[in-house]
Amino acid sequence: MSKFTLAIVAGASAAVGAATTAAIYGLSGPRRQEETQTINTTGTTTPSTTRNAPAALPIRRDDPTVPAVPPVDPSGVFQYGFPGPVSDLRAASSLTSAFDRAKRNPHWVAEHITPASLLIRSGDRRHSYFAEDGTIPEKFRAKLTDYARSGYDRGHQVPAADAKWSQNAMDSTFALSNMCPQVGEGFNRDYWAHFEDFVRRLTSFYPSVRVVTGPLYLPKREADGKWRVSYEVIGHPPNVAVPTHFYKVIFAEDGKMGGQVSLGAFVLPNAVIANDKPLQDFEVPVEAVERASGLDFAGLLPPARRKRLCQEVSCSVLVKEYAERQRTMMTPPPQKGGMPPSTAFTQR
């Protein structure tokens, strides 16, 4: 396991707080006025009241025949509203996502690409515009003004180039609920874009590729030896968290019912990355991403169906200049029976 993977696992462990201990609430029976009888000198009984009469025998708290009546109702707060957390689920034509209201970024965004979806060219990003997501309550959503003069790009989690099969599909990728603040030069417009291109080119070998992408906020060890999470917040007032890292979990399917799935997980820092940096340096076990994010990606995928993606194909990026990439977006996958396109990876 790489040092980077260990940092993810250790950082995620450091972020877990101590477990809360439950206290046992015991009630002793209150002393009450008891009406007793006293015998007078005439032999008749007369009622009298004493404050010192003992209470009835105490009820055992563990007696299954006696229902416990708690003295409080914590759930009564729900009459004023459910505190949460709430993950706003968005199901659009090109993606499905869950939104993190506290950080104004998605928890995760899922997409599905196929050779057919990438061949259709009905969408044009020149007709798409960044927009706030009106389905998220106004006080929790990211706003266009939050990104203004922030120094960060509005970084797509599902790329627009993956949704060219219709204009509506492409438009849906431009909602800010599909965005995170990303370093522009050297990352969003460079290495991250090459990584997205690598994912598209997987359709040369797999008939179905599913991808989950999202932000991470990972700890780092400081000079005093302690691990701390620190990230910038942009906006007016500060609203949108700037992730320290981003992940992609890739499910490359063989197209057969119950077939094999080539699984790959990658974590990249939100920083300038040299184009000659090997993509495989960012490969981590999917369990490391799950632990760091608190999400479950492959819990229902049996080990017998899993393959390691980077053992099936060469995990490396094909570097293009940004201007050229904007023009071409991607090389179309091969037609059935045709020659595969020129790529930076080969099938093993």
Side-chain angles (χ1 to χ4, degrees):
M1 185 178 291
S2 67
K3 294 181 180 178
F4 187 74
T5 300
L6 292 173
I8 293 177
V9 176
S13 299
V16 177
T20 306
T21 337
I24 299 176
Y25 193 121
L27 291 178
S28 60
R31 294 195 175 273
R32 54 186 176 86
Q33 290 186 349
E34 293 288 338
E35 190 174 273
T36 63
Q37 291 182 331
T38 60
I39 302 177
N40 61 22
T41 57
T42 63
T44 61
T45 58
T46 57
S48 66
T49 303
T50 174
R51 294 180 182 272
N52 296 322
L57 290 175
I59 298 174
R60 288 171 48 198
R61 299 291 294 174
D62 59 350
D63 188 345
T65 65
V66 180
V69 180
V72 296
D73 177 22
S75 298
V77 74
F78 295 161
Q79 66 184 299
Y80 306 115
F82 179 68
V86 175
S87 293
D88 299 275
L89 191 65
R90 179 188 178 209
S93 55
S94 60
L95 58 88
T96 300
S97 66
F99 190 74
D100 181 348
R101 291 183 173 188
K103 295 183 174 66
R104 275 72 171 179
N105 286 323
H107 284 298
W108 52 266
V109 188
E111 61 171 317
H112 182 211
I113 56 178
T114 65
S117 72
L118 296 178
L119 279 175
I120 303 172
R121 304 297 184 90
S122 298
D124 188 340
R125 67 180 298 144
R126 291 175 297 181
H127 304 311
S128 298
Y129 303 93
F130 291 99
E132 298 174 14
D133 191 334
T135 67
I136 297 171
E138 192 274 338
K139 62 183 176 181
F140 297 127
R141 75 177 68 139
K143 299 178 175 62
L144 292 169
T145 54
D146 291 330
Y147 283 87
R149 295 179 295 280
S150 68
Y152 292 95
D153 284 4
R154 294 165 290 199
H156 285 70
Q157 301 304 282
V158 169
D162 292 1
K164 300 180 74 174
W165 50 271
S166 84
Q167 189 62 49
N168 178 65
M170 178 168 285
D171 292 346
S172 66
T173 69
F174 279 80
L176 291 188
S177 57
N178 183 45
M179 305 292 160
C180 290
Q182 288 186 327
V183 171
E185 294 290 342
F187 185 67
N188 181 47
R189 307 175 203 173
D190 294 284
Y191 201 93
W192 183 255
H194 308 323
F195 184 25
E196 293 172 335
D197 186 66
F198 161 81
V199 175
R200 283 189 289 273
R201 291 173 183 275
L202 289 173
T203 58
S204 297
F205 302 122
Y206 300 96
S208 174
V209 178
R210 302 183 189 276
V211 190
V212 183
T213 305
L216 291 172
Y217 311 86
L218 298 181
K220 66 177 180 179
R221 180 173 285 170
E222 297 186 355
D224 60 2
K226 296 181 179 180
W227 293 81
R228 293 184 176 87
V229 177
S230 177
Y231 54 84
E232 185 180 350
V233 182
I234 62 172
H236 310 284
N239 290 305
V240 183
V242 179
T244 63
H245 295 75
F246 291 92
Y247 68 83
K248 278 188 184 291
V249 178
I250 302 170
F251 305 84
E253 302 169 338
D254 65 8
K256 302 175 183 177
M257 183 68 67
Q260 299 295 302
V261 179
S262 296
L263 187 62
F266 302 84
V267 173
L268 282 67
N270 188 12
V272 174
I273 302 176
N275 282 332
D276 59 357
K277 180 76 170 174
L279 177 60
Q280 202 159 347
D281 285 0
F282 301 112
E283 183 192 13
V284 299
V286 67
E287 293 80 9
V289 183
E290 291 176 330
R291 185 162 183 164
S293 64
L295 304 173
D296 186 3
F297 299 104
L300 298 180
L301 181 62
R305 294 182 55 199
R306 300 187 187 194
K307 290 186 175 182
R308 183 183 162 197
L309 179 67
C310 290
Q311 289 181 339
E312 300 297 308
V313 300
S314 175
C315 291
S316 57
V317 297
L318 175 63
V319 176
K320 289 184 178 181
E321 293 299 324
Y322 181 70
E324 179 190 353
R325 188 181 59 83
Q326 288 295 90
R327 287 193 302 269
T328 62
M329 298 306 292
M330 65 160 288
T331 301
Q335 299 287 343
K336 187 174 182 180
M339 295 296 292
S342 174
T343 66
F345 63 87
T346 57
Q347 194 168 20
R348 294 186 185 276

